[in-house]
Amino acid sequence: MSYVANALRENPELAVFLTIALGFLIGRLKLGSFSLGIVVGCLLAGVLIGQLDIKVSPLVKTIFFDLFLFTTGYKVGPQFFRALKRDAFPQMALTVVLCVTCLLTALGFAKLLNFDIGTAAGLLAGAFSESTVIGTAGEAIQRLALPEAERTALVNNIPVAYAVTYLVGTASLVWFLPKIGPKLMGIDLKQAAADRRSQSAGSVAEVEGVASAARLFDVRAYRVANARLFDRTIAEIEALPKAARAYVLRVRSGESLLEPAPDLVIREGDIVAVMARQEIHTDRGDVIGPEVGDPGLLDIPIESLDVVLTNRKLDGRSLADLAQGEFARGVFLSRLTRSGITMPIAAESQVNRGDVLSLVGPLSQVEKAATEIGYPDRRTSATDMVFVGLGIFLGGLVGLLSVLVGGVPLTLTASGGALIMGLVFGWLRSVYPFFGRIPEPAIWIFDTLGLCMFIGIVGLGAGPSFVSGLTTTGLSLVAVGLVSALLPHTLGILFGRYVLKMDPLVVLGACAGAGTITAALRAIQDEARSSIPALGYTVPYAIGNILLTAWGPVLVALMSI
């Protein structure tokens, strides 16, 4: 053991990787349906290994923190700027009310119970599930005109308070929002979701090498035997179903294979290849005639393609409107993703610039639709590191600027600037998606691993003083963390439902987003058995990330007065 301990002290990079390994292991452990999560797992692992008094250069955690913040901004940038539009005002107003209440609650309890600045920042970070506050508040504390030993002690108190209040706050909100939130609004969550029920594509979780056995869309061959269809053009036949979309992709007339021109006339006995949703084939396929096997007719190239919506004319349009466009002929939507969240697919669902539409259909038609909608987001493993590096550099220059407020210098810090520039660059990517691509695996590295590296190193540094700090403030922080977490969300639910008159499902999704608690959104969707709450999640999540992150230095400044 002494060999291992000495190796970790003399080679702190080994301690960092051991912290990550143990942290991910701890985060995956479950007690029933509850788990600590990998962020808290890495913090606790860092604290445990940090008992060996391991010194890691602060520059390491800063680099990973900047990568994490830039990526966070990159992901939510399109929705953040979307929030500036008038139709997003209710969600933006709810988010501002909830986040300001979070700040005032943490400040109020800190003043009332005489918490030091570090403990107050940890309370804000933990009770409201915003790990970035650890970094922004820590940087702000380092700028205070205090002795170095005192600054170090304050910074080390942040993860102590964070660990306690995060567990209490997150666990309570994952239960509170889906269970108590509907009661505050006087609704039955399942019934409210049933009233707005819509089928959302892709119910099977995406796992590498695993696909759903359900075929949402299919192409089948039918011999035309319905006299109502004889001697009609393809355009006339496709216009007959009023509540469904079905398209003729190819026709066999005798021995000839014919492409589907709108004015092509269908004769008795012709065989048509029809693309439609699976349930349309099952329920209404025999309206055309008997299904037949014709591999040659069905040998049609079908493409599945992700397309980033950039066309200003389509921004804010409903899916029903898009389906009426000429470019939509023969093309179906299998998935709609916004800021990484799968959105419900319904006729009234609106699309925003930056959304990713997963299209399925004949190759030529999908390519035509992609040109009309925006930019095809084809899979690649390459990351535009010029984009990433320049974004963090420019953000740092902006973040280092400071203003005096009441004689107290306020600054975003270089890390906060990286977040702001991530927002701008993420928005630019949604408008001009031919540059600045960061593939999903790279986003995972920058986002998840970046944050876990930062938190793990924070735990290593705080390890020696963690136990004593927890003993001093632990019991009071449990109660304060619980009240601090529930009070802003209670106010947010009441404000959203009774003042803003928002849909109750959207209110709950918006509260989960404003509090940046993705686990709570999943719990709400599971309880409602619907993906509709996600409609309220993305805009508040974007704004909430920015405001709660910015509250770190603001809280430090207010506590210093």
Side-chain angles (χ1 to χ4, degrees), residues 5 54 63 72 152 170 194 207 224 242 274 354 384 418 439 452-453 484 530 537:
I54 295 170
I63 290 173
T72 298
T152 300
T170 301
V207 179
V224 179
K242 301 300 181 184
V274 179
D384 189 345
C452 289
M453 280 284 193
S484 298
S530 169
Y537 181 82

Side-chain angles (χ1 to χ4, degrees), residues 16-283:
V16 173
F17 284 110
L18 180 59
T19 297
I20 294 300
L22 290 179
F24 273 67
L25 179 62
I26 294 171
R28 290 172 180 170
L29 298 177
K30 287 190 174 182
L31 181 61
S33 60
F34 177 76
S35 64
L36 293 175
I38 56 176
V39 175
V40 175
C42 288
L43 175 63
L44 296 180
V47 168
L48 177 63
I49 299 172
Q51 302 304 314
L52 298 175
D53 193 24
I54 295 170
K55 307 297 183 184
V56 180
S57 170
L59 179 61
V60 179
K61 69 176 181 180
T62 301
I63 290 173
F64 280 103
F65 190 55
D66 287 353
L67 272 173
F68 162 71
L69 286 180
F70 178 82
T71 307
T72 298
Y74 175 88
K75 291 192 303 180
V76 304
Q79 288 307 306
F80 179 81
F81 287 99
R82 167 74 185 168
L84 303 180
K85 295 187 176 182
R86 184 175 301 175
D87 60 353
F89 172 77
Q91 295 182 20
M92 181 171 62
L94 185 152
T95 305
V96 171
V97 167
L98 191 149
C99 289
V100 169
T101 306
C102 289
L103 173 63
L104 296 179
T105 301
L107 178 64
F109 275 118
K111 292 288 189 180
L112 180 66
L113 300 177
N114 294 319
F115 288 162
D116 61 68
I117 298 175
T119 301
L123 169 63
L124 179 65
F128 308 118
S129 305
E130 188 55 56
S131 308
T132 56
V133 173
I134 297 176
T136 56
E139 290 184 7
I141 289 174
Q142 292 291 3
R143 294 172 179 271
L144 296 178
L146 298 172
E148 182 177 351
E150 186 175 348
R151 293 200 307 269
T152 300
L154 292 176
V155 169
N156 286 341
N157 283 344
I158 299 177
V160 176
Y162 169 80
V164 175
T165 55
Y166 179 90
L167 294 175
V168 175
T170 301
S172 61
L173 285 172
V174 169
W175 165 81
F176 178 83
L177 287 176
K179 297 293 186 180
I180 306 302
K183 298 183 185 300
L184 292 175
M185 296 183 286
I187 64 163
D188 180 278
L189 188 58
K190 290 186 177 67
Q191 185 58 48
D195 292 340
R196 290 194 54 188
R197 183 77 63 200
S198 63
Q199 290 294 329
S200 180
S203 59
V204 173
E206 290 190 353
V207 179
E208 186 68 26
V210 177
S212 172
R215 300 180 65 178
L216 298 174
F217 313 99
D218 203 358
V219 182
R220 297 187 183 182
Y222 299 94
R223 187 180 301 278
V224 179
N226 186 340
R228 293 180 54 208
L229 305 181
F230 298 166
D231 301 321
R232 286 179 178 264
T233 65
I234 287 180
E236 290 173 333
I237 292 174
E238 291 180 347
L240 288 176
K242 301 300 181 184
R245 300 175 71 230
Y247 300 96
V248 177
L249 302 186
R250 186 180 284 175
V251 179
R252 181 183 293 281
S253 182
E255 296 300 321
S256 301
L257 289 178
L258 306 176
E259 294 305 314
D263 58 353
L264 179 64
V265 177
I266 300 300
R267 309 295 182 183
E268 180 182 2
D270 285 351
I271 302 175
V272 293
V274 179
M275 184 169 187
R277 292 189 66 89
Q278 179 72 27
E279 63 268 20
I280 301 300
H281 286 293
T282 303
D283 298 340

Side-chain angles (χ1 to χ4, degrees), residues 383-398:
T383 298
D384 189 345
M385 287 306 300
V386 174
F387 179 85
V388 175
L390 186 62
I392 295 176
F393 168 71
L394 294 177
L397 294 182
V398 172

Side-chain angles (χ1 to χ4, degrees), residues 187-431:
I187 64 163
D188 180 278
L189 188 58
K190 290 186 177 67
Q191 185 58 48
D195 292 340
R196 290 194 54 188
R197 183 77 63 200
S198 63
Q199 290 294 329
S200 180
S203 59
V204 173
E206 290 190 353
V207 179
E208 186 68 26
V210 177
S212 172
R215 300 180 65 178
L216 298 174
F217 313 99
D218 203 358
V219 182
R220 297 187 183 182
Y222 299 94
R223 187 180 301 278
V224 179
N226 186 340
R228 293 180 54 208
L229 305 181
F230 298 166
D231 301 321
R232 286 179 178 264
T233 65
I234 287 180
E236 290 173 333
I237 292 174
E238 291 180 347
L240 288 176
K242 301 300 181 184
R245 300 175 71 230
Y247 300 96
V248 177
L249 302 186
R250 186 180 284 175
V251 179
R252 181 183 293 281
S253 182
E255 296 300 321
S256 301
L257 289 178
L258 306 176
E259 294 305 314
D263 58 353
L264 179 64
V265 177
I266 300 300
R267 309 295 182 183
E268 180 182 2
D270 285 351
I271 302 175
V272 293
V274 179
M275 184 169 187
R277 292 189 66 89
Q278 179 72 27
E279 63 268 20
I280 301 300
H281 286 293
T282 303
D283 298 340
R284 303 172 64 178
D286 57 1
V287 171
I288 301 173
E291 184 175 357
V292 298
D294 193 332
L297 177 69
L298 296 177
D299 187 19
I300 302 169
I302 299 296
E303 183 177 26
S304 178
L305 179 66
D306 290 344
V307 180
V308 181
L309 190 148
T310 61
N311 189 336
R312 292 177 181 271
K313 296 179 181 179
L314 302 183
D315 186 29
R317 298 271 295 277
S318 69
L319 293 179
D321 288 341
L322 265 61
Q324 301 303 314
E326 182 182 348
F327 65 86
R329 184 191 177 277
V331 177
F332 293 82
L333 179 65
S334 63
R335 190 182 185 198
L336 175 63
T337 307
R338 182 174 300 155
S339 298
I341 301 295
T342 299
M343 309 303 290
I345 296 177
E348 67 274 11
S349 295
Q350 295 182 341
V351 293
N352 302 154
R353 288 172 69 190
D355 286 356
V356 178
L357 286 70
S358 299
L359 306 181
V360 178
L363 177 63
S364 59
Q365 290 298 111
V366 168
E367 293 293 336
K368 177 181 177 182
T371 301
E372 185 71 23
I373 292 171
Y375 186 84
D377 193 21
R378 303 185 191 278
R379 294 184 180 275
T380 177
S381 59
T383 298
D384 189 345
M385 287 306 300
V386 174
F387 179 85
V388 175
L390 186 62
I392 295 176
F393 168 71
L394 294 177
L397 294 182
V398 172
L400 290 175
L401 300 175
S402 63
V403 294
L404 287 176
V405 177
V408 178
L410 285 181
T411 176
L412 288 172
T413 73
S415 297
L419 176 63
I420 298 300
M421 200 56 66
L423 286 172
V424 175
F425 275 38
W427 173 78
L428 286 173
R429 161 72 182 170
S430 72
V431 178

